Amino acid sequence: MALPLVTVRLVKFLAIYLALSTAFVVAKITLAFLDIFSPDAKDRLFQRVLANAKSMCPKGDTFQIEEFLTLKSYKALLYSQAVGIFKVVRKGRPAEDSALVQLDGQTETTLLSYASGTRPLVVCFGSYTCPPFRDALSDFAVLAEDYQNVANFLLVYIEEAHPSDGWRFNSGPQIQQHRTVEQRCDAARAMLRDRGVQFDVAVDTMGNAANHTYGAFPDRLYVIQNGVVAHEGGKGPFLFNPTEVREWLNEHLNGLDKNNNTNDRK
């Protein structure tokens, strides 16, 4: 007899909780031991870890090992796993039309309103304090420009991955976790201004409806076509990869209407 989906998800989250909690305690004990007996070995170990996690720690950003082993980092990692496990959408199933807000901070909109006809809608979720997302912004902008005649593109700005009052990195922008929609819009506008990129951007509601529905935290990519989730990108930060979307578009390019140069929204 098959277990209900919610039970499977709860068991999966419990397993991750136990594994993450154990790893966190072991790492803290190991760090304390190395601090006392071999600080150089601690630094070498951390540099080796960073070298194997280039997607999470892009070149140009600097990090300290202590930033990864705080109570706030532990809570953020658990939250990220929960968001991914309990998301609503799945590849091959209908996409959800989550509520969003435009950058003026007042105009309500929805995610699927950015779709038009049979054109794929590429949706990128993320926040400016997430290093892999920040590093990939230019790639997403190029992707949107390269395929503007056959697909629509939307960036949904969600809650901050590394807010200055949460799991904070000293490197990168310092943005507090948003308390209002206006603050979330301010962060999104600052991102666009600093990076000099242009594409459709909307922000998640303060209830984080789109984020939770699409399991987006800290960053994630989707392709929606004809109201169905056609491509579900890997969970960030480690599996956040805009190249996968380019490959999907190339693979399905023959089925796209190259002569349809409009991206009129519904």
Side-chain angles (χ1 to χ4, degrees):
M1 181 177 177
L3 292 173
L5 180 59
V6 65
T7 302
V8 173
R9 292 178 176 178
L10 284 172
V11 170
K12 184 177 180 180
F13 177 73
L14 179 60
I16 290 175
Y17 167 75
L18 293 174
L20 183 61
S21 299
T22 301
F24 185 82
V25 172
V26 170
K28 290 286 284 186
I29 293 173
T30 302
L31 179 61
F33 179 87
L34 292 176
D35 269 335
I36 297 172
F37 295 103
S38 183
D40 290 342
K42 182 193 77 171
D43 293 337
R44 289 195 300 270
L45 176 62
F46 183 55
Q47 292 306 317
R48 193 180 309 155
V49 171
L50 289 183
N52 293 327
K54 293 180 180 179
S55 62
M56 182 176 177
C57 306
K59 187 180 297 184
D61 287 334
T62 58
F63 302 93
Q64 302 297 322
I65 190 171
E66 291 78 10
E67 293 174 328
F68 292 86
L69 295 174
T70 66
L71 182 59
K72 289 179 178 179
S73 70
Y74 170 75
K75 290 180 178 179
L77 288 170
L78 274 182
Y79 173 69
S80 174
Q81 292 300 320
V83 169
I85 291 172
F86 293 101
K87 66 184 175 67
V88 176
V89 301
R90 292 288 187 276
K91 180 180 177 181
R93 296 184 180 181
E96 294 289 329
D97 197 14
S98 298
L100 302 172
V101 180
Q102 293 183 9
L103 289 187
D104 62 8
Q106 298 181 2
T107 306
E108 296 179 354
T109 185
T110 64
L111 190 148
L112 293 185
S113 72
Y114 288 84
S116 54
T118 60
R119 290 165 60 96
L121 172 63
V122 179
V123 186
C124 178
F125 294 90
S127 65
Y128 200 27
T129 54
C130 180
F133 173 81
R134 192 165 63 246
D135 191 53
L137 272 175
S138 58
D139 293 336
F140 187 72
V142 171
L143 186 70
E145 182 177 357
D146 289 347
Y147 294 90
Q148 61 182 324
N149 289 339
V150 293
N152 295 356
F153 292 82
L154 171 66
L155 189 151
V156 178
Y157 201 100
I158 61 175
E159 59 187 311
E160 297 294 339
H162 298 283
S164 58
D165 54 349
W167 181 10
R168 173 179 177 267
F169 287 147
N170 290 324
S171 179
Q174 301 299 308
I175 304 171
Q176 286 190 338
Q177 193 59 272
H178 324 126
R179 301 310 196 266
T180 65
V181 169
E182 290 75 15
Q183 290 177 351
R184 187 160 290 176
C185 289
D186 287 342
R189 287 192 293 265
M191 173 195 70
L192 293 175
R193 182 175 61 252
D194 292 349
R195 292 289 163 156
V197 292
Q198 292 294 328
F199 32 66
D200 283 335
V201 179
V203 305
D204 198 3
T205 63
M206 296 313 297
N208 301 311
N211 176 15
H212 294 164
T213 298
Y214 283 83
F217 187 85
D219 46 12
R220 199 162 202 160
L221 288 154
Y222 283 90
V223 179
I224 298 169
Q225 188 174 29
N226 297 322
V228 174
V229 177
H231 172 78
E232 180 181 324
K235 178 174 172 51
F238 294 106
L239 301 179
F240 181 74
N241 184 10
T243 301
E244 290 184 355
V245 174
R246 182 177 291 274
E247 292 172 352
W248 187 93
L249 289 170
N250 285 336
E251 181 182 348
H252 295 81
L253 197 59
N254 291 333
L256 303 179
D257 184 1
K258 298 179 183 179
N259 296 318
N260 180 7
N261 294 327
T262 65
N263 62 349
D264 297 331
R265 291 163 50 191
K266 293 189 291 184

